[in-house]
Amino acid sequence: MRNNLIEKAKKVLLGNKKRGFTLPTNNKLYPAQWKWDSGFIALGYSHFNLKYAIDEISTLLKGQWKDGMIPHILFHDLNTNYYPNHSVWNCGNKIHSSGITQPPVLAIILKKILDKNKIKVTQKIKIKSMVQKLKKYHEWLIKYRDPKNTGLVSILHPWESGYDNSPLWDYSMNEVKVEKNLKYKRGDNKVINPEYRPLDSDYDRYVTIKNHLRNNKYNPKHLYKKSMFNVVDVGFNSIFLRANKDLLELLKIFNFEHKKLHKFILKSENKIEKLYNKKKGVFTNYDVKNKKKIVVPSITNYFILFANLKNQNINKKIIKNLKNHNLKKKYMFSSIKPNYKKFEEKRYWRGPVWINCNWIIYQGLKNKDKKFANIIKEKTINLIEKNGFYEYYSFKTGKAFGANNFSWSASLFLDLIFEKNNN
Ligand code: GLC
Protein backbone atom coordinates (compact mmCIF):
# COMPACT_ATOMS: atom_id res chain seq x y z
CA MET A 1 0.00 0.00 0.00
CA ARG A 2 2.69 2.48 1.01
CA ASN A 3 4.88 1.47 -1.94
CA ASN A 4 2.02 2.20 -4.26
CA LEU A 5 1.55 5.57 -2.69
CA ILE A 6 5.23 6.40 -2.97
CA GLU A 7 5.00 5.83 -6.71
CA LYS A 8 1.84 7.93 -6.84
CA ALA A 9 3.56 10.77 -4.98
CA LYS A 10 6.42 10.76 -7.45
CA LYS A 11 3.89 10.79 -10.29
CA VAL A 12 2.17 13.84 -8.80
CA LEU A 13 5.45 15.73 -8.86
CA LEU A 14 6.46 14.56 -12.31
CA GLY A 15 2.96 15.31 -13.59
CA ASN A 16 3.23 18.90 -12.38
CA LYS A 17 6.77 19.35 -13.67
CA LYS A 18 7.55 21.89 -16.38
CA ARG A 19 11.02 22.76 -17.70
CA GLY A 20 13.15 23.52 -14.61
CA PHE A 21 10.27 24.09 -12.21
CA THR A 22 7.12 22.45 -10.90
CA LEU A 23 3.58 23.78 -10.57
CA PRO A 24 1.84 23.56 -7.17
CA THR A 25 -0.94 21.53 -8.85
CA ASN A 26 -2.11 20.56 -12.34
CA ASN A 27 -5.64 21.95 -12.18
CA LYS A 28 -4.97 25.53 -13.40
CA LEU A 29 -5.48 27.03 -9.95
CA TYR A 30 -1.83 28.05 -9.60
CA PRO A 31 -0.23 28.23 -13.08
CA ALA A 32 3.20 29.51 -11.99
CA GLN A 33 6.17 28.78 -9.73
CA TRP A 34 5.59 29.59 -6.06
CA LYS A 35 8.45 30.18 -3.67
CA TRP A 36 7.80 28.06 -0.62
CA ASP A 37 6.07 25.39 -2.70
CA SER A 38 9.29 25.11 -4.71
CA GLY A 39 11.33 24.61 -1.55
CA PHE A 40 9.11 21.73 -0.41
CA ILE A 41 9.00 20.32 -3.94
CA ALA A 42 12.80 20.29 -4.14
CA LEU A 43 12.93 18.30 -0.92
CA GLY A 44 10.52 15.74 -2.39
CA TYR A 45 12.59 15.38 -5.57
CA SER A 46 15.77 14.96 -3.52
CA HIS A 47 14.49 11.51 -2.52
CA PHE A 48 14.48 10.23 -6.08
CA ASN A 49 16.06 12.74 -8.45
CA LEU A 50 18.67 15.09 -7.07
CA LYS A 51 19.05 16.88 -10.39
CA TYR A 52 15.40 17.91 -10.40
CA ALA A 53 15.74 19.11 -6.80
CA ILE A 54 18.68 21.34 -7.62
CA ASP A 55 17.06 22.57 -10.85
CA GLU A 56 13.89 23.56 -8.98
CA ILE A 57 15.78 25.86 -6.60
CA SER A 58 18.10 27.10 -9.36
CA THR A 59 15.18 28.25 -11.46
CA LEU A 60 13.59 30.00 -8.51
CA LEU A 61 16.82 31.84 -7.78
CA LYS A 62 17.01 33.02 -11.38
CA GLY A 63 14.05 35.20 -10.53
CA GLN A 64 15.83 36.88 -7.62
CA TRP A 65 15.70 40.66 -7.82
CA LYS A 66 18.86 42.72 -8.05
CA ASP A 67 18.41 43.98 -4.49
CA GLY A 68 18.22 40.38 -3.18
CA MET A 69 14.46 39.87 -2.84
CA ILE A 70 13.15 36.47 -3.91
CA PRO A 71 9.58 36.88 -5.21
CA HIS A 72 6.72 34.70 -4.08
CA ILE A 73 5.60 33.95 -7.65
CA LEU A 74 7.56 33.59 -10.90
CA PHE A 75 5.40 33.80 -14.01
CA HIS A 76 7.12 31.54 -16.52
CA ASP A 77 3.95 31.22 -18.58
CA LEU A 78 2.36 34.58 -19.40
CA ASN A 79 -0.75 33.19 -20.97
CA THR A 80 -2.98 32.09 -18.08
CA ASN A 81 -6.20 33.07 -16.33
CA TYR A 82 -4.46 33.65 -13.02
CA TYR A 83 -5.16 36.83 -11.10
CA PRO A 84 -3.08 38.81 -10.20
CA ASN A 85 -0.97 37.97 -13.25
CA HIS A 86 2.43 39.29 -14.39
CA SER A 87 1.03 42.41 -16.00
CA VAL A 88 -0.82 43.66 -12.94
CA TRP A 89 2.20 43.05 -10.72
CA ASN A 90 4.35 44.63 -13.43
CA CYS A 91 7.74 43.77 -11.98
CA GLY A 92 10.52 41.19 -11.92
CA ASN A 93 14.14 40.84 -12.81
CA LYS A 94 15.01 38.23 -15.43
CA ILE A 95 11.62 36.59 -15.04
CA HIS A 96 8.24 38.32 -14.58
CA SER A 97 7.30 38.06 -10.93
CA SER A 98 5.16 39.24 -8.05
CA GLY A 99 6.54 42.08 -5.92
CA ILE A 100 6.44 40.39 -2.51
CA THR A 101 8.16 37.41 -0.91
CA GLN A 102 7.11 34.23 0.95
CA PRO A 103 8.42 32.24 3.96
CA PRO A 104 12.20 31.77 3.74
CA VAL A 105 12.36 27.96 3.74
CA LEU A 106 15.06 27.59 1.07
CA ALA A 107 18.18 27.57 3.28
CA ILE A 108 16.56 24.92 5.49
CA ILE A 109 15.74 22.73 2.51
CA LEU A 110 19.15 23.21 0.91
CA LYS A 111 20.92 22.21 4.13
CA LYS A 112 18.76 19.09 4.39
CA ILE A 113 19.57 18.16 0.79
CA LEU A 114 23.27 18.73 1.36
CA ASP A 115 23.33 16.76 4.63
CA LYS A 116 21.56 13.72 3.27
CA ASN A 117 22.93 13.19 -0.21
CA LYS A 118 26.13 12.33 -1.98
CA ILE A 119 26.78 15.50 -3.92
CA LYS A 120 28.91 15.58 -7.08
CA VAL A 121 31.54 18.28 -7.44
CA THR A 122 29.60 20.03 -10.21
CA GLN A 123 26.48 20.04 -8.04
CA LYS A 124 28.45 21.40 -5.11
CA ILE A 125 29.56 24.35 -7.23
CA LYS A 126 25.92 25.06 -8.07
CA ILE A 127 24.93 24.79 -4.42
CA LYS A 128 27.70 27.20 -3.45
CA SER A 129 26.30 29.81 -5.80
CA MET A 130 22.80 29.18 -4.38
CA VAL A 131 24.11 29.74 -0.87
CA GLN A 132 25.56 33.05 -1.96
CA LYS A 133 22.18 34.10 -3.36
CA LEU A 134 20.39 33.03 -0.21
CA LYS A 135 22.85 35.07 1.85
CA LYS A 136 21.87 38.11 -0.22
CA TYR A 137 18.18 37.32 0.27
CA HIS A 138 18.49 36.98 4.05
CA GLU A 139 20.42 40.26 4.13
CA TRP A 140 17.57 41.87 2.19
CA LEU A 141 15.02 40.63 4.75
CA ILE A 142 17.13 41.92 7.64
CA LYS A 143 17.88 45.28 6.06
CA TYR A 144 14.43 46.17 4.75
CA ARG A 145 12.02 44.19 6.88
CA ASP A 146 13.75 44.98 10.15
CA PRO A 147 15.16 48.45 9.51
CA LYS A 148 15.21 49.26 13.22
CA ASN A 149 17.35 46.21 13.85
CA THR A 150 15.05 44.61 16.41
CA GLY A 151 15.82 40.99 15.52
CA LEU A 152 12.33 40.39 14.09
CA VAL A 153 11.19 40.93 10.49
CA SER A 154 7.84 42.16 9.19
CA ILE A 155 5.62 40.96 6.39
CA LEU A 156 3.92 43.64 4.29
CA HIS A 157 1.16 41.57 2.69
CA PRO A 158 -0.79 38.58 4.10
CA TRP A 159 0.31 36.60 1.02
CA GLU A 160 3.89 36.85 2.28
CA SER A 161 3.01 34.55 5.17
CA GLY A 162 1.77 31.81 2.85
CA TYR A 163 -1.40 31.49 4.96
CA ASP A 164 -3.34 34.11 3.07
CA ASN A 165 -6.74 34.39 4.74
CA SER A 166 -5.85 33.18 8.23
CA PRO A 167 -7.84 34.87 11.01
CA LEU A 168 -4.41 36.08 12.14
CA TRP A 169 -4.85 38.95 9.68
CA ASP A 170 -8.50 39.82 10.34
CA TYR A 171 -7.82 42.75 12.62
CA SER A 172 -5.09 44.29 10.45
CA MET A 173 -7.06 43.71 7.24
CA ASN A 174 -10.08 45.45 8.71
CA GLU A 175 -7.92 48.52 9.12
CA VAL A 176 -7.08 48.54 5.38
CA LYS A 177 -9.29 50.94 3.46
CA VAL A 178 -10.31 49.34 0.19
CA GLU A 179 -9.29 51.37 -2.88
CA LYS A 180 -12.16 53.21 -4.55
CA ASN A 181 -13.40 51.84 -7.88
CA LEU A 182 -11.35 48.71 -7.55
CA LYS A 183 -11.69 46.54 -10.63
CA TYR A 184 -10.36 43.02 -11.01
CA LYS A 185 -11.52 39.52 -11.82
CA ARG A 186 -10.66 36.59 -9.62
CA GLY A 187 -9.79 33.31 -11.32
CA ASP A 188 -9.38 31.03 -8.29
CA ASN A 189 -13.04 30.70 -7.33
CA LYS A 190 -13.95 29.55 -10.82
CA VAL A 191 -11.64 26.56 -10.44
CA ILE A 192 -12.43 25.68 -6.81
CA ASN A 193 -15.71 25.86 -4.87
CA PRO A 194 -15.81 29.43 -3.46
CA GLU A 195 -16.84 28.03 -0.07
CA TYR A 196 -13.32 26.69 0.29
CA ARG A 197 -11.59 29.86 -0.87
CA PRO A 198 -11.00 33.36 0.60
CA LEU A 199 -13.90 35.84 0.43
CA ASP A 200 -14.22 38.72 -2.03
CA SER A 201 -13.82 41.11 0.89
CA ASP A 202 -10.39 39.52 1.52
CA TYR A 203 -9.44 39.85 -2.14
CA ASP A 204 -10.46 43.52 -2.22
CA ARG A 205 -7.86 44.14 0.44
CA TYR A 206 -5.18 41.87 -1.08
CA VAL A 207 -5.52 43.82 -4.31
CA THR A 208 -5.60 47.20 -2.57
CA ILE A 209 -2.37 46.45 -0.70
CA LYS A 210 -0.77 45.07 -3.87
CA ASN A 211 -1.69 48.21 -5.82
CA HIS A 212 -0.25 50.37 -3.09
CA LEU A 213 3.03 48.45 -3.19
CA ARG A 214 3.11 48.80 -6.95
CA ASN A 215 2.39 52.53 -6.79
CA ASN A 216 5.43 52.77 -4.53
CA LYS A 217 7.48 50.91 -7.13
CA TYR A 218 8.05 48.11 -4.62
CA ASN A 219 10.78 50.30 -3.15
CA PRO A 220 11.85 48.41 -0.01
CA LYS A 221 13.45 51.50 1.52
CA HIS A 222 10.12 53.25 1.94
CA LEU A 223 7.63 50.44 2.21
CA TYR A 224 8.32 49.27 5.74
CA LYS A 225 6.98 52.60 6.96
CA LYS A 226 4.43 53.29 4.28
CA SER A 227 2.85 49.90 3.76
CA MET A 228 -0.86 49.47 4.53
CA PHE A 229 -0.04 46.22 6.29
CA ASN A 230 2.96 45.56 8.55
CA VAL A 231 2.92 42.58 10.90
CA VAL A 232 5.57 40.66 12.83
CA ASP A 233 4.32 37.11 12.41
CA VAL A 234 5.50 34.34 14.74
CA GLY A 235 5.40 31.69 12.00
CA PHE A 236 7.40 33.69 9.47
CA ASN A 237 9.96 34.73 12.10
CA SER A 238 10.29 31.18 13.42
CA ILE A 239 11.00 29.91 9.92
CA PHE A 240 13.45 32.77 9.40
CA LEU A 241 15.27 32.04 12.65
CA ARG A 242 15.61 28.38 11.73
CA ALA A 243 16.65 29.32 8.20
CA ASN A 244 19.28 31.72 9.56
CA LYS A 245 20.69 28.98 11.79
CA ASP A 246 20.90 26.63 8.80
CA LEU A 247 22.29 29.34 6.53
CA LEU A 248 25.01 30.01 9.10
CA GLU A 249 26.15 26.40 8.77
CA LEU A 250 26.05 26.61 4.98
CA LEU A 251 28.11 29.82 5.03
CA LYS A 252 30.71 28.08 7.17
CA ILE A 253 30.87 25.07 4.84
CA PHE A 254 31.51 27.30 1.83
CA ASN A 255 33.80 29.75 3.64
CA PHE A 256 31.56 32.79 3.32
CA GLU A 257 31.53 35.66 5.80
CA HIS A 258 29.07 34.83 8.59
CA LYS A 259 29.74 36.98 11.65
CA LYS A 260 26.94 39.48 10.97
CA LEU A 261 24.42 36.72 10.55
CA HIS A 262 25.53 35.12 13.78
CA LYS A 263 24.89 38.38 15.61
CA PHE A 264 21.44 38.68 14.11
CA ILE A 265 20.59 35.12 15.18
CA LEU A 266 21.53 35.87 18.79
CA LYS A 267 19.35 38.96 18.71
CA SER A 268 16.37 37.14 17.15
CA GLU A 269 16.62 34.25 19.60
CA ASN A 270 16.32 36.76 22.39
CA LYS A 271 13.71 39.06 20.86
CA ILE A 272 11.33 36.40 19.67
CA GLU A 273 10.65 35.61 23.33
CA LYS A 274 8.99 39.04 23.52
CA LEU A 275 6.18 37.52 21.50
CA TYR A 276 5.68 34.92 24.22
CA ASN A 277 2.80 35.23 26.66
CA LYS A 278 4.14 33.47 29.72
CA LYS A 279 0.82 33.22 31.51
CA LYS A 280 -0.98 31.54 28.64
CA GLY A 281 2.05 29.71 27.29
CA VAL A 282 1.44 30.93 23.74
CA PHE A 283 3.23 33.02 21.13
CA THR A 284 1.34 35.92 19.57
CA ASN A 285 1.78 38.21 16.56
CA TYR A 286 2.38 41.94 16.67
CA ASP A 287 0.79 44.41 14.26
CA VAL A 288 3.49 47.07 13.81
CA LYS A 289 1.29 49.35 11.73
CA ASN A 290 -1.51 49.55 14.32
CA LYS A 291 0.64 48.83 17.37
CA LYS A 292 -1.47 45.92 18.52
CA LYS A 293 -0.93 42.41 19.82
CA ILE A 294 -2.80 39.83 17.78
CA VAL A 295 -3.95 36.82 19.75
CA VAL A 296 -5.28 34.10 17.46
CA PRO A 297 -4.78 30.35 18.17
CA SER A 298 -3.12 29.56 14.85
CA ILE A 299 -1.09 26.40 14.32
CA THR A 300 1.59 28.63 12.77
CA ASN A 301 2.38 30.04 16.21
CA TYR A 302 3.78 26.59 16.97
CA PHE A 303 6.32 26.95 14.18
CA ILE A 304 8.41 28.33 17.04
CA LEU A 305 9.34 24.68 17.71
CA PHE A 306 10.98 24.60 14.26
CA ALA A 307 13.23 27.50 15.32
CA ASN A 308 14.83 25.25 17.96
CA LEU A 309 14.88 27.86 20.71
CA LYS A 310 17.45 27.18 23.40
CA ASN A 311 14.90 28.00 26.10
CA GLN A 312 13.67 24.53 27.07
CA ASN A 313 11.08 25.85 29.53
CA ILE A 314 9.30 27.61 26.71
CA ASN A 315 9.61 24.58 24.45
CA LYS A 316 8.04 22.34 27.10
CA LYS A 317 5.17 24.70 27.75
CA ILE A 318 4.48 25.09 24.05
CA ILE A 319 4.42 21.35 23.45
CA LYS A 320 1.96 20.92 26.32
CA ASN A 321 -0.29 23.51 24.72
CA LEU A 322 0.07 21.99 21.28
CA LYS A 323 -1.29 18.72 22.65
CA ASN A 324 -4.52 20.58 23.40
CA HIS A 325 -4.86 22.14 19.96
CA ASN A 326 -6.91 19.23 18.52
CA LEU A 327 -7.39 17.16 21.62
CA LYS A 328 -8.02 13.47 20.84
CA LYS A 329 -8.99 14.13 17.27
CA LYS A 330 -8.36 11.62 14.54
CA TYR A 331 -6.91 14.21 12.17
CA MET A 332 -4.58 17.02 12.99
CA PHE A 333 -3.54 19.82 13.03
CA SER A 334 -6.37 22.15 12.17
CA SER A 335 -4.79 25.42 11.03
CA ILE A 336 -6.89 27.25 13.64
CA LYS A 337 -7.94 25.86 17.02
CA PRO A 338 -11.52 24.59 16.52
CA ASN A 339 -13.00 26.35 19.55
CA TYR A 340 -11.91 29.76 18.20
CA LYS A 341 -14.88 31.91 17.21
CA LYS A 342 -13.68 32.42 13.66
CA PHE A 343 -12.72 28.82 12.95
CA GLU A 344 -14.14 27.48 9.65
CA GLU A 345 -13.87 23.78 8.88
CA LYS A 346 -13.56 24.08 5.10
CA ARG A 347 -12.27 27.51 4.23
CA TYR A 348 -8.62 27.50 3.20
CA TRP A 349 -6.38 28.82 6.01
CA ARG A 350 -9.20 29.34 8.51
CA GLY A 351 -9.39 25.77 9.84
CA PRO A 352 -8.39 22.94 7.50
CA VAL A 353 -5.32 20.73 7.98
CA TRP A 354 -2.34 21.60 5.75
CA ILE A 355 0.44 19.07 5.17
CA ASN A 356 3.22 21.67 5.17
CA CYS A 357 2.17 22.93 8.62
CA ASN A 358 2.20 19.38 9.98
CA TRP A 359 5.61 18.81 8.43
CA ILE A 360 7.08 21.99 9.96
CA ILE A 361 5.73 21.09 13.39
CA TYR A 362 6.95 17.53 13.08
CA GLN A 363 10.42 18.83 12.22
CA GLY A 364 10.30 21.04 15.30
CA LEU A 365 9.08 18.28 17.60
CA LYS A 366 11.28 15.37 16.66
CA ASN A 367 14.30 16.50 18.69
CA LYS A 368 12.14 17.54 21.66
CA ASP A 369 9.33 14.98 22.05
CA LYS A 370 9.98 12.02 19.78
CA LYS A 371 6.86 10.13 20.81
CA PHE A 372 4.51 13.00 20.03
CA ALA A 373 6.44 13.75 16.84
CA ASN A 374 5.94 10.20 15.61
CA ILE A 375 2.20 10.40 16.30
CA ILE A 376 2.01 13.51 14.11
CA LYS A 377 4.02 11.80 11.41
CA GLU A 378 1.78 8.72 11.37
CA LYS A 379 -1.41 10.77 11.42
CA THR A 380 -0.18 12.88 8.53
CA ILE A 381 0.75 9.83 6.47
CA ASN A 382 -2.60 8.19 7.28
CA LEU A 383 -4.52 11.29 6.29
CA ILE A 384 -2.89 11.16 2.85
CA GLU A 385 -3.30 7.39 2.54
CA LYS A 386 -7.03 7.72 3.09
CA ASN A 387 -7.74 10.93 1.20
CA GLY A 388 -5.06 11.51 -1.42
CA PHE A 389 -2.59 14.26 -2.23
CA TYR A 390 -4.85 17.27 -1.81
CA GLU A 391 -4.23 20.86 -0.90
CA TYR A 392 -6.03 20.76 2.50
CA TYR A 393 -8.36 18.57 4.56
CA SER A 394 -11.10 18.72 7.19
CA PHE A 395 -9.70 18.04 10.65
CA LYS A 396 -13.03 16.40 11.56
CA THR A 397 -13.56 13.93 8.72
CA GLY A 398 -10.32 14.02 6.75
CA LYS A 399 -12.34 15.05 3.68
CA ALA A 400 -10.11 16.68 1.10
CA PHE A 401 -10.59 20.21 -0.29
CA GLY A 402 -8.97 22.51 -2.81
CA ALA A 403 -6.62 21.29 -5.52
CA ASN A 404 -5.89 17.62 -6.16
CA ASN A 405 -2.41 16.37 -7.11
CA PHE A 406 -0.96 18.98 -4.83
CA SER A 407 2.83 19.04 -5.12
CA TRP A 408 3.89 19.89 -1.58
CA SER A 409 1.53 17.26 -0.11
CA ALA A 410 3.23 14.66 -2.32
CA SER A 411 6.73 15.97 -1.61
CA LEU A 412 6.41 16.16 2.12
CA PHE A 413 4.75 12.74 2.19
CA LEU A 414 7.89 11.40 0.49
CA ASP A 415 10.08 13.22 2.98
CA LEU A 416 8.20 11.79 5.96
CA ILE A 417 8.38 8.28 4.52
CA PHE A 418 12.03 8.36 3.50
CA GLU A 419 13.40 10.34 6.37
CA LYS A 420 16.46 8.59 7.72
CA ASN A 421 17.17 8.24 11.44
CA ASN A 422 14.62 10.85 12.43
CA ASN A 423 17.20 13.63 12.22
C1 GLC B 1 -1.84 29.85 -1.99
C2 GLC B 1 -1.29 29.53 -0.59
C3 GLC B 1 0.20 29.67 -0.59
C4 GLC B 1 0.81 28.80 -1.68
C5 GLC B 1 0.16 29.05 -3.04
C6 GLC B 1 0.55 28.03 -4.09
O1 GLC B 1 -1.64 31.17 -2.32
O2 GLC B 1 -1.89 30.32 0.36
O3 GLC B 1 0.73 29.33 0.66
O4 GLC B 1 2.17 29.02 -1.76
O5 GLC B 1 -1.25 29.01 -2.94
O6 GLC B 1 0.33 26.73 -3.64
Side-chain angles (χ1 to χ4, degrees):
M1 168 92 180
R2 281 208 173 157
N3 278 347
N4 249 337
L5 218 57
I6 290 170
E7 288 317 305
K8 267 195 185 159
K10 292 180 186 172
K11 268 196 189 146
V12 167
L13 288 178
L14 296 173
N16 293 343
K17 193 174 175 321
K18 301 278 159 193
R19 269 191 79 193
F21 74 99
T22 308
L23 299 171
T25 166
N26 60 355
N27 77 341
K28 299 196 175 152
L29 181 62
Y30 307 119
Q33 184 178 20
W34 259 262
K35 178 171 178 271
W36 74 333
D37 300 62
S38 257
F40 297 132
I41 288 166
L43 188 62
Y45 279 137
S46 74
H47 293 291
F48 66 100
N49 191 324
L50 193 57
K51 182 185 177 305
Y52 288 176
I54 293 176
D55 285 354
E56 184 76 32
I57 301 180
S58 255
T59 306
L60 189 72
L61 293 175
K62 278 189 197 144
Q64 181 170 34
W65 286 12
K66 286 196 186 107
D67 63 5
M69 205 272 278
I70 303 177
H72 99 296
I73 305 177
L74 296 183
F75 298 102
H76 298 285
D77 178 359
L78 305 186
N79 192 14
T80 71
N81 285 330
Y82 183 75
Y83 184 87
N85 65 10
H86 72 285
S87 70
V88 290
W89 280 105
N90 193 29
C91 56
N93 183 13
K94 286 176 195 147
I95 305 170
H96 288 283
S97 75
S98 70
I100 56 174
T101 192
Q102 240 190 352
V105 295
L106 292 174
I108 304 166
I109 303 290
L110 205 56
K111 179 161 184 303
K112 275 189 183 291
I113 292 178
L114 202 63
D115 285 349
K116 292 192 180 178
N117 292 282
K118 275 197 182 148
I119 310 279
K120 292 185 206 147
V121 179
T122 46
Q123 289 172 328
K124 213 159 187 180
I125 295 169
K126 273 194 186 163
I127 292 181
K128 183 175 179 180
S129 126
M130 289 177 184
V131 171
Q132 203 164 19
K133 289 178 179 165
L134 289 179
K135 179 174 187 278
K136 201 169 165 198
Y137 172 56
H138 284 221
E139 286 166 357
W140 178 91
L141 275 172
I142 293 169
K143 183 169 177 191
Y144 295 117
R145 297 310 182 83
D146 181 21
K148 293 180 189 149
N149 206 9
T150 65
L152 300 175
V153 293
S154 285
I155 54 169
L156 304 185
H157 194 301
W159 284 341
E160 293 201 310
S161 70
Y163 17 104
D164 311 2
N165 67 335
S166 164
L168 279 171
W169 321 125
D170 286 2
Y171 171 81
S172 320
M173 288 292 264
N174 256 327
E175 297 295 306
V176 172
K177 259 200 175 162
V178 175
E179 191 182 305
K180 273 186 199 155
N181 305 323
L182 199 62
K183 272 195 199 120
Y184 66 95
K185 218 170 157 190
R186 287 175 72 172
D188 63 304
N189 53 6
K190 315 280 179 299
V191 186
I192 297 291
N193 183 344
E195 277 175 42
Y196 311 154
R197 295 289 305 174
L199 302 170
D200 284 345
S201 55
D202 296 320
Y203 259 79
D204 287 349
R205 288 171 175 79
Y206 299 144
V207 176
T208 298
I209 304 172
K210 171 193 70 68
N211 289 352
H212 180 257
L213 297 172
R214 175 179 164 168
N215 293 341
N216 281 281
K217 302 192 164 58
Y218 306 104
N219 185 335
K221 279 188 199 139
H222 305 312
L223 280 168
Y224 181 88
K225 261 196 172 162
K226 275 195 186 172
S227 176
M228 305 173 94
F229 180 97
N230 181 333
V231 176
V232 167
D233 172 53
V234 175
F236 193 98
N237 277 280
S238 302
I239 292 175
F240 192 44
L241 180 51
R242 169 63 183 269
N244 276 328
K245 289 179 180 178
D246 286 349
L247 181 63
L248 186 73
E249 296 310 310
L250 293 171
L251 293 178
K252 286 181 189 166
I253 293 173
F254 291 103
N255 274 321
F256 287 123
E257 192 283 322
H258 58 264
K259 282 199 185 106
K260 268 198 221 145
L261 184 66
H262 190 217
K263 262 194 183 166
F264 187 80
I265 292 173
L266 295 177
K267 189 175 257 181
S268 304
E269 177 100 15
N270 188 16
K271 283 293 159 59
I272 209 162
E273 286 190 18
K274 286 216 158 168
L275 303 176
Y276 183 58
N277 178 326
K278 215 172 167 183
K279 255 193 189 162
K280 295 191 174 147
V282 292
F283 275 81
T284 56
N285 277 3
Y286 185 68
D287 179 330
V288 177
K289 176 99 189 161
N290 301 298
K291 301 194 173 57
K292 193 169 162 68
K293 271 191 190 161
I294 307 289
V295 187
V296 174
S298 167
I299 197 64
T300 57
N301 297 337
Y302 292 96
F303 288 0
I304 195 72
L305 294 166
F306 193 42
N308 287 331
L309 290 191
K310 290 202 187 87
N311 189 330
Q312 295 305 338
N313 287 334
I314 291 188
N315 288 336
K316 271 189 203 149
K317 195 73 192 277
I318 290 292
I319 292 174
K320 207 172 151 205
N321 244 313
L322 178 62
K323 288 181 177 162
N324 288 324
H325 189 83
N326 287 160
L327 207 59
K328 292 187 189 141
K329 277 288 176 283
K330 202 165 159 196
Y331 303 104
M332 45 174 65
F333 288 106
S334 62
S335 38
I336 297 295
K337 196 169 175 174
N339 65 359
Y340 185 61
K341 54 184 184 292
K342 291 179 167 179
F343 170 86
E344 290 182 65
E345 187 196 340
K346 300 171 187 169
R347 200 182 294 282
Y348 216 37
W349 292 97
R350 301 182 74 87
V353 178
W354 288 77
I355 301 299
N356 66 335
C357 291
N358 282 14
W359 181 87
I360 289 174
I361 294 202
Y362 168 72
Q363 296 297 325
L365 271 176
K366 66 187 184 185
N367 58 0
K368 303 178 188 69
D369 185 335
K370 214 169 194 164
K371 198 170 155 207
F372 188 29
N374 282 332
I375 293 175
I376 306 308
K377 178 172 173 165
E378 277 309 307
K379 282 189 183 244
T380 306
I381 292 173
N382 288 339
L383 179 64
I384 292 174
E385 273 174 348
K386 285 206 185 112
N387 302 284
F389 297 105
Y390 271 84
E391 194 178 4
Y392 42 101
Y393 309 81
S394 157
F395 96 104
K396 278 189 191 157
T397 62
K399 184 176 180 293
F401 304 115
N404 193 359
N405 298 307
F406 198 65
S407 295
W408 84 39
S409 299
S411 270
L412 298 176
F413 168 82
L414 288 175
D415 191 60
L416 290 175
I417 293 275
F418 286 127
E419 185 187 44
K420 286 169 204 142
N421 312 324
N422 251 5
N423 57 27

